[in-house]
Amino acid sequence: MSPFFSSLTSLLPFSASSKLRSLIAGIQRMEPQVLSMSQESMRDMWNTCATQARRDGKANTTTTTHAFALLREASRRATGLRPYDVQIYGALCMGRRLVAEMATGEGKTLVAGLAAAFLSLGGKGVHVATVNRYLAERDAEIIRPILDFFGISLGVLKEKDNNDQKRAAYLAEITYGTGYEFGFDYLRDQLKLLDQGSLSLGEKLSTDLMGKRGQKGDYVQRVVHHAVVDEIDSVLIDEAITPLIISPALGSENPGAPAYRQANELAKALKKDVDYEVDDQKRNVTLLPAGLEKIYSPEFHPRNPEVLTRAWHFYLEQALRAQECFILNGHYLVRKDKVEIIDENTGRGFADRKWREGLHQAVEAKENATISPEMQSQVSISRQTFFQRYPHLCGMTGTARESAAELDDIYGLGVEPVPRHKPSQLRRLPDRIFRSWEEKMTAYIAEIKKRHALGQPILAGTRSVQRSEELAERLAALGIEACVINARLDEQEAELIARAGEVGRITIATNMVGRGTDIKLRPGAEEVGGLMVLGEERYDSPRLDRQLSGRAGRQGEPGGAQFFLSADDYLFNTFGVKEGEQIRKARASKEGEVSPGFVRLAFRVQNRTELEQRYQRKLMMLQDERFHKLKRHFKHSS
């Protein structure tokens, strides 16, 4: 038995392992036959598989075996890459409507393409959703030669496409794009239907994923059956709390700008815990009775009451939220006089996202930027509701097991771990934990300096733009140069992160910037220990920690990962104040380091936070469902 089959048996339930082992064995047996076939003969066999799948409504065992044998050989001829058994296995998992958990560096781009090609046999369309446009275009070009080999049409959604270009991309058998672009195009089509007055939005959202296209209208999408989601935990879990919203601006200028600027000035005169209280975890501010009395006094009266669109105290509360709860280069950055929200799960800036209910304008006033017009929500849908509408939803990621229960509960998706092509050599070193941020950073920088002196490539993970730049400055003061990758450099991130495996290179990255880009060790890097991932702090979720540490040790290469913690970390300050106090009061060395046993407090806070965030995501989905039920009710009763 091959190492692949033995590892498969040890990792998976016997029933699943047995079925998939049988399929892979059949694919292997067909390989000599396919090797001797001409491209024309291979195309004929592929078309026969497609005819069979469309007649039966799905691919049977024989069709599946033939299709993947053909795809393996087409990949070898067209790209020079012969898919490993584990890659075939990952694609088979997605063909069975599962989430394939595959480690970093295992070739997920090729796996997604194989799965998409296989699913296209049914003729019902396939959407391949990625986390950003760069990856959509890159991955499509990587897989294009294989699809061209069989004449499978491929469409790619690009940033500045017009409706005709989008429509052509959607008419292809396989369409690559970002998850949010698929969702927004769906909502835009629904608005066009509303403009015709043909169907209500609530009624439309209750039908098929893309609905039936009318005789008129500039619609771009068509009915599609399959969705293959790359980094599926990021799309379905991390981003699920942010609904997809079409919000046209109310005019080109904001007539209420003076009110936001005055509120920003007056908020500075209010006293915390006297006039208002702050909920750091929920990032919310509530005016207390003393504060309400003060802001409605003549001294605080709005200078331009005619521009107010809501009660005056709401302006003050949003100004206080902007000042107390939202940090420049942490939650947002200012670029070209515009406030851009930073996605806290990826570290990327999004120019097209805006906070609602006046918060975005309050932040703009705080930063003395141009006050943008407020947005009026025309139509929205939660990501959970949107992706549930694909009859066949599947995907892959390196970190799914922590979210297995939620993926099953919300989406009905099972998770299958895919064995590595080569055994992992990643060394996960014990966390080090300190009483204060400064004591931790002293040790953290010393560790970077020590490993850098040996020439070991280092990936330093931080949670914000501000922290990444502060770390770079501290290293520069020691004469150590580092490459900083954060939301300011989102266009160049893939190229820069790919070089993180060079000898002597230090790369500082916010959260999972560059996710989806393989970090390959360059010459000489293996001899000095491979890539070393050093986490500046732990994140809200153990899954995000594992995403970061998983950047090292790809394809059996050497590598290491270690996290440094302190009582002043965001995790404790925001979600675990009591646990942070326990660490501050603990007995410590002269360097401020406490017993490693206190790390369990971080895991306790993470677990508590994950449960709360999971509850919030489910609550959003239920609210979305109730909203659309109400719209259908009013439609039928009118």
Side-chain angles (χ1 to χ4, degrees):
M1 184 179 289
S2 72
F4 165 69
F5 287 140
S6 55
S7 63
L8 196 65
T9 304
S10 65
L11 283 172
L12 300 173
F14 178 78
S15 58
S17 174
S18 176
K19 174 65 175 176
L20 294 172
R21 282 191 305 172
S22 175
L23 285 170
I24 292 172
I27 293 165
Q28 290 176 331
R29 285 194 297 271
M30 274 204 68
E31 193 162 10
Q33 175 188 343
V34 177
L35 278 169
S36 62
M37 293 174 65
S38 67
Q39 180 175 349
E40 184 180 359
S41 297
M42 290 176 65
R43 273 200 177 195
D44 288 343
M45 182 179 284
W46 179 267
N47 291 334
T48 300
C49 289
T51 300
Q52 183 76 32
R54 293 172 194 189
R55 184 173 64 241
D56 297 345
K58 63 178 181 179
N60 59 29
T61 299
T62 300
T63 302
T64 300
T65 302
H66 288 184
F68 275 102
L70 291 167
L71 286 168
R72 168 176 270 174
E73 177 59 15
S75 177
R76 188 188 69 80
R77 294 187 192 183
T79 69
L81 300 172
R82 176 188 176 275
Y84 303 128
D85 286 344
V86 290
Q87 292 175 314
I88 297 290
Y89 175 69
L92 284 168
C93 286
M94 287 189 278
R96 293 161 63 91
R97 202 181 182 277
L98 296 169
V99 174
E101 183 177 80
M102 299 186 68
T104 300
E106 294 292 305
K108 292 195 288 291
T109 297
L110 179 58
V111 174
L114 296 176
F118 170 69
L119 292 172
S120 75
L121 284 171
K124 296 180 180 179
V126 185
H127 286 172
V128 182
T130 65
V131 294
N132 63 51
R133 289 190 177 101
Y134 165 78
L135 290 178
E137 294 185 31
R138 185 204 68 178
D139 292 359
E141 290 310 308
I142 290 173
I143 207 68
R144 185 184 294 278
I146 301 172
L147 303 183
D148 287 346
F149 192 93
F150 294 113
I152 302 169
S153 58
L154 172 65
V156 186
L157 298 176
K158 299 182 180 179
E159 186 170 2
K160 296 182 179 179
D161 281 354
N162 59 34
N163 280 355
D164 289 338
Q165 291 167 321
K166 283 188 174 185
R167 191 178 301 108
Y170 279 118
L171 285 173
E173 294 171 89
I174 297 174
T175 306
Y176 274 73
T178 61
Y180 58 84
E181 193 66 23
F182 287 126
F184 283 132
D185 282 340
Y186 167 64
L187 290 179
R188 292 183 190 106
D189 277 356
Q190 303 313 304
L191 282 175
K192 293 166 188 173
L193 282 168
L194 279 176
D195 289 342
Q196 288 185 40
S198 56
L199 290 174
S200 73
L201 180 61
E203 183 178 358
K204 192 60 189 169
L205 292 178
S206 68
T207 59
D208 290 337
L209 172 63
M210 302 306 169
K212 295 181 179 179
R213 291 178 60 185
Q215 297 300 313
K216 300 177 181 179
D218 196 21
Y219 314 123
V220 297
Q221 290 190 338
R222 64 184 178 97
V223 177
V224 168
H225 192 81
H226 306 280
V228 177
V229 185
D230 189 15
E231 306 295 0
I232 195 168
D233 56 333
S234 176
V235 176
L236 300 189
I237 304 295
D238 296 336
E239 297 179 1
I241 200 67
T242 307
L244 298 166
I245 303 172
I246 298 290
S247 300
L250 297 175
S252 57
E253 298 180 357
N254 192 331
Y260 285 107
R261 297 206 184 278
Q262 184 186 2
N264 181 66
E265 296 169 11
L266 297 177
K268 298 172 184 176
L270 298 175
K271 296 180 180 178
K272 186 177 180 179
D273 298 327
V274 175
D275 298 317
Y276 64 92
E277 60 184 6
V278 180
D279 185 333
D280 290 318
Q281 185 168 345
K282 295 181 179 179
R283 291 183 198 155
N284 199 23
V285 170
T286 304
L287 282 164
L288 298 172
L292 286 167
E293 183 178 350
K294 186 177 291 184
I295 68 162
Y296 282 110
S297 66
E299 180 185 358
F300 277 72
H301 196 270
R303 290 189 288 265
N304 304 88
E306 71 280 358
V307 304
L308 301 184
T309 58
R310 51 177 65 87
W312 177 230
H313 67 273
F314 283 114
Y315 287 85
L316 270 297
E317 283 184 335
Q318 294 293 44
L320 289 166
R321 285 184 72 196
Q323 293 175 17
E324 293 279 357
C325 305
F326 291 83
I327 302 169
L328 176 64
N329 295 331
H331 301 110
Y332 65 91
L333 56 85
V334 179
R335 181 153 40 190
K336 297 179 181 178
D337 194 40
K338 293 184 179 179
V339 169
E340 290 187 16
I341 296 174
I342 295 175
D343 187 295
E344 293 181 52
N345 298 303
T346 64
R348 294 187 179 93
F350 285 87
D352 54 351
R353 289 187 186 176
K354 288 186 181 293
W355 288 301
R356 291 180 287 170
E357 299 176 346
L359 175 59
H360 204 89
Q361 288 70 29
V363 173
E364 289 168 335
K366 170 190 170 184
E367 298 300 335
N368 198 29
T370 299
I371 307 294
S372 62
E374 291 193 42
M375 314 297 280
Q376 183 178 32
S377 177
Q378 274 193 323
V379 61
S380 69
I381 189 171
S382 69
R383 292 170 196 255
Q384 296 99 318
T385 303
F386 174 72
F387 281 102
Q388 283 173 338
R389 296 178 182 280
Y390 287 94
H392 185 112
L393 176 64
C394 62
M396 58 187 182
T397 180
T399 49
R401 71 186 71 151
E402 294 91 345
S403 301
E406 185 170 357
L407 288 168
D408 179 41
D409 181 34
I410 303 297
Y411 303 99
L413 293 172
V415 173
E416 291 283 1
V418 178
R420 293 172 180 263
H421 178 58
K422 296 179 181 179
S424 173
Q425 294 188 51
L426 177 65
R427 295 182 303 115
R428 298 180 187 271
L429 302 180
D431 289 12
R432 296 179 64 184
I433 185 165
F434 298 79
R435 289 179 307 189
S436 72
W437 180 270
E438 277 307 313
E439 288 168 328
K440 176 186 76 170
M441 290 306 296
T442 299
Y444 184 73
I445 290 171
E447 186 70 17
I448 292 176
K449 186 177 179 180
K450 179 183 75 174
R451 293 184 178 276
H452 179 63
L454 299 173
Q456 186 172 20
I458 296 166
L459 176 62
T462 66
R463 69 170 301 124
S464 71
V465 174
Q466 179 184 8
R467 292 298 189 194
S468 68
E469 293 176 348
E470 286 175 357
L471 177 58
E473 289 171 4
R474 295 178 74 150
L475 291 173
L478 298 174
I480 300 174
E481 183 181 352
C483 172
V484 181
I485 310 175
N486 55 38
R488 298 186 191 281
L489 294 171
D490 49 2
E491 295 177 2
Q492 299 87 25
E493 69 175 48
E495 177 186 349
L496 294 172
I497 201 74
R499 296 181 57 194
E502 295 177 359
V503 171
R505 190 173 180 86
I506 300 174
T507 305
I508 303 172
T510 50
N511 285 30
M512 287 312 296
V513 164
R515 190 175 179 188
T517 302
D518 202 9
I519 301 177
K520 298 178 181 179
L521 294 185
R522 304 302 173 92
E526 285 199 30
E527 288 74 14
V528 290
L531 180 66
M532 184 68 194
V533 172
L534 295 174
E536 192 181 62
E537 54 188 302
R538 283 196 175 270
Y539 299 120
D540 308 349
S541 165
R543 181 170 50 81
L544 298 179
D545 294 336
R546 196 153 70 90
Q547 287 172 6
L548 178 61
S549 58
R551 302 308 297 266
R554 62 173 291 281
Q555 285 285 325
E557 294 172 341
Q562 188 173 31
F563 287 86
F564 286 66
L565 288 73
S566 83
D568 296 329
D569 290 355
Y570 179 86
L571 179 68
F572 292 114
N573 283 342
T574 306
F575 304 107
V577 175
K578 291 181 180 179
E579 288 83 356
E581 280 303 309
Q582 285 182 253
I583 297 168
R584 288 188 187 92
K585 295 175 181 177
R587 181 179 298 176
S589 68
K590 63 180 181 179
E591 291 82 17
E593 188 167 6
V594 303
S595 167
F598 281 93
V599 173
R600 74 183 186 280
L601 297 180
F603 299 146
R604 180 193 302 172
V605 175
Q606 284 181 324
N607 290 335
R608 189 170 65 230
T609 304
E610 277 211 310
L611 286 173
E612 173 63 23
Q613 291 174 346
R614 179 179 173 183
Y615 169 76
Q616 293 296 330
R617 288 190 291 266
K618 188 158 189 177
L619 183 64
M620 173 177 288
M621 184 190 72
L622 293 174
Q623 289 173 338
D624 197 44
E625 289 176 351
R626 283 195 292 268
F627 170 73
H628 294 306
K629 283 180 181 177
L630 278 172
K631 291 187 78 71
R632 289 196 296 272
H633 170 75
F634 287 125
K635 168 67 177 178
H636 295 316
S637 61
S638 60

